[in-house]
Amino acid sequence: MKISDIRLTVVGIPRTTGFVSKHVIVELMTDEGVTGIGEMSDFSHLPHYSLNVDDLTHSLKDIVLGKNPFDISLINKELTANFPEAMFYYEKGNFIRNGVDAALHDLCAKALNISVADFIGGRIQDKIKVCFPIFRHRFMEEVEENLEVVRKRFAQGFDTYRLYVGKNLDADEAFLDGVKSEFGSKVTIKSLDFSHLLDWKLALRAVKRLSQYDFQMVESPAVQNDFDGLHHFRMKCEHLVSEHVWSFRQQYEMIRHDSVDIFNISPIFIGGLTSARKAAAAAEVAGKGCLMGTTQELSIGTAAMAHLGSSLINLNYTSDPTGPELYIGDIVKNPVKYENGYLLVPGRDVPGLGMELDWDLIEKYRVPDLSWGTISVHQLQDRTAQTKS
């Protein structure tokens, strides 16, 4: 079996907030008629530059065409040589490698008529505990809006939440107080996520202020790649500390400095399922736990994480992948499912990632490129109406 073609399709899916996130759907075709799909998820992040999708397609064709899709290590080696790690959280090269690597896993598992979870080592669990994100407060007026999010999502079965903090501590405190007063022990705050917004001393001061409320861990409480600062924070903080893994050099430095208790591992940030499995193994060797992070993927990217998480022996903390719940639509016929605060792993009865593209939905949300020119929900709705008329 040889890879005969690759196709990249850009879609813009509106979130429930109205912001449109752009994603690239990857299709790897073979000379035996098997096609694997992947997702370069949520490109709408800083740094503020975009990729030319036609150029990217030509570059990837040079790498993958004619290759045996089971040569995943070889292909990943060439992908890394062409789209190298850059020690940056939202490095777009990692996003590219992730989409291709997911498609390779989907393709190979389909060829063997097994699920991706079975292809990478088998399942330890069939569902993964997840939390719902509460986005960062800028103004006090947003507190009640976010409490309403908790009410709505709690009714849907989500009892655990991750709170982005650090922009307006008065509002953060008011939100935590509101959750405690209204829900008590029925709701868990998994983490205070600083997202590298503050240096470690300011983050430590903020955590001490908010420590009157119950939360399980603190995430990203230092600027990017400040391994000493992250270590100092951990030594002075009573809570567990977690950090994302976005390169193997960065993970090595966090292990060397003993900077974290928990590695936040997501294929999108480390460059694919292959790299994510290596990062999880390194964490296990270092005696550290793991959780799965997110950039708010669609169902294809989330399914890849579900398969990965189901096979990890040290996935021992609540994870983050609830992306499909944040969008008003998707591009597959069978979106991933959530039940009582758990992400369900696609079953063994469907090979590969367990996802099937819906081309009607893809055409509805298709956009021409990854440029930073904005497209609104209303523009997508207008174009959909014109297509149907």
Side-chain angles (χ1 to χ4, degrees):
M1 179 186 294
K2 302 294 182 183
I3 298 173
S4 58
D5 202 3
I6 181 171
R7 179 165 59 184
L8 306 181
T9 305
V10 185
V11 294
I13 312 292
R15 296 191 183 189
T16 56
T17 59
F19 179 79
V20 177
S21 292
K22 294 183 178 180
H23 314 258
V24 178
I25 308 306
V26 181
E27 297 171 89
L28 287 179
M29 296 80 158
T30 65
D31 57 359
E32 295 186 9
V34 183
T35 296
I37 61 174
E39 177 184 306
M40 301 176 188
S41 311
D42 200 9
F43 265 96
S44 302
H45 282 289
L46 296 174
H48 201 144
Y49 70 86
S50 57
L51 302 167
N52 183 294
V53 178
D54 290 335
D55 286 348
L56 179 58
T57 301
H58 290 307
S59 297
L60 291 175
K61 282 184 177 182
D62 287 342
I63 296 171
V64 303
L65 293 195
K67 295 285 199 311
N68 184 327
F70 285 91
D71 288 335
I72 293 177
S73 294
L74 172 63
I75 295 172
N76 267 278
K77 181 180 179 182
E78 294 193 26
L79 286 170
T80 302
N82 286 275
F83 305 98
E85 294 182 344
M87 291 282 283
F88 185 75
Y89 184 24
Y90 283 112
E91 168 52 39
K92 289 177 169 60
N94 291 345
F95 288 31
I96 293 166
R97 290 186 283 115
N98 172 61
V100 176
D101 190 53
L104 286 170
H105 280 78
D106 184 56
L107 197 166
C108 292
K110 283 176 177 174
L112 297 173
N113 199 35
I114 60 175
S115 73
V116 166
D118 291 329
F119 180 61
I120 61 177
R123 298 163 186 250
I124 296 173
Q125 54 190 335
D126 291 315
K127 60 182 182 179
I128 296 163
K129 182 66 175 176
V130 293
C131 63
F132 200 86
I134 302 297
F135 293 110
R136 189 168 283 111
H137 297 98
R138 297 163 299 166
F139 311 107
M140 189 64 72
E141 292 76 15
E142 294 171 321
V143 171
E144 180 55 34
E145 296 174 10
N146 279 333
L147 287 173
E148 185 58 32
V149 171
V150 176
R151 295 181 191 110
K152 175 184 175 183
R153 296 300 181 171
F154 183 74
Q156 296 174 343
F158 292 98
D159 61 357
T160 306
Y161 297 83
R162 172 169 55 105
L163 176 63
Y164 289 89
V165 297
K167 198 75 170 179
N168 186 329
L169 289 177
D170 290 337
D172 295 337
E173 185 171 357
F175 172 81
L176 290 169
D177 190 70
V179 170
K180 181 179 179 180
S181 299
E182 184 170 344
F183 296 95
S185 61
K186 293 184 292 185
V187 159
T188 298
I189 302 297
K190 186 203 79 170
S191 62
L192 303 185
D193 188 345
F194 286 90
S195 304
H196 319 111
L197 187 66
L198 305 178
D199 66 44
W200 73 268
K201 290 183 180 179
L202 290 175
L204 184 64
R205 191 180 307 164
V207 168
K208 288 181 178 178
R209 173 178 173 178
L210 300 175
S211 289
Q212 60 184 301
Y213 304 100
D214 292 330
F215 52 90
Q216 296 176 337
M217 65 185 73
V218 180
E219 187 155 283
S220 305
V223 297
Q224 287 190 37
N225 299 320
D226 180 8
F227 308 112
D228 286 322
L230 199 56
H231 171 79
H232 290 318
F233 179 94
R234 179 172 176 252
M235 292 298 99
K236 294 177 181 296
C237 181
E238 295 182 358
H239 290 82
L240 298 172
V241 176
S242 70
E243 180 58 281
H244 298 265
V245 179
W246 52 77
S247 82
F248 291 119
R249 173 59 187 272
Q250 176 236 7
Q251 186 181 26
Y252 163 77
E253 292 292 347
M254 287 192 288
I255 293 172
R256 188 167 74 90
H257 287 79
D258 202 15
S259 297
V260 300
D261 302 287
I262 305 160
F263 284 112
N264 183 322
I265 296 173
S266 178
I268 188 71
F269 292 124
I270 190 63
L273 289 169
T274 299
S275 293
R277 292 177 64 205
K278 291 179 182 178
E284 184 180 355
V285 170
K288 306 292 185 180
C290 291
L291 63 86
M292 283 193 304
T294 184
T295 183
Q296 316 310 346
E297 294 82 355
L298 300 174
S299 278
I300 296 173
T302 305
M305 287 192 288
H307 285 280
L308 170 67
S310 75
S311 69
L312 295 182
I313 195 168
N314 58 334
L315 184 70
N316 38 24
Y317 296 95
T318 300
S319 293
D320 299 338
T322 53
E325 290 289 308
L326 299 176
Y327 293 99
I328 68 171
D330 214 310
I331 44 80
V332 295
K333 294 181 179 179
N334 50 337
V336 293
K337 293 181 173 60
Y338 295 88
E339 185 177 280
N340 296 323
Y342 285 84
L343 168 63
L344 304 185
V345 183
R348 279 183 156 132
D349 55 326
V350 183
L353 292 173
M355 297 287 108
E356 181 181 358
L357 296 177
D358 186 322
W359 281 97
D360 289 335
L361 290 174
I362 291 174
E363 291 303 324
K364 175 180 178 180
Y365 294 118
R366 185 196 291 263
V367 293
D369 53 42
L370 287 168
S371 68
W372 275 75
T374 57
I375 181 171
S376 69
V377 178
H378 298 299
Q379 287 174 308
L380 286 169
Q381 290 171 340
D382 291 344
R383 194 179 63 197
T384 300
Q386 292 171 2
T387 302
K388 291 180 178 178
S389 62

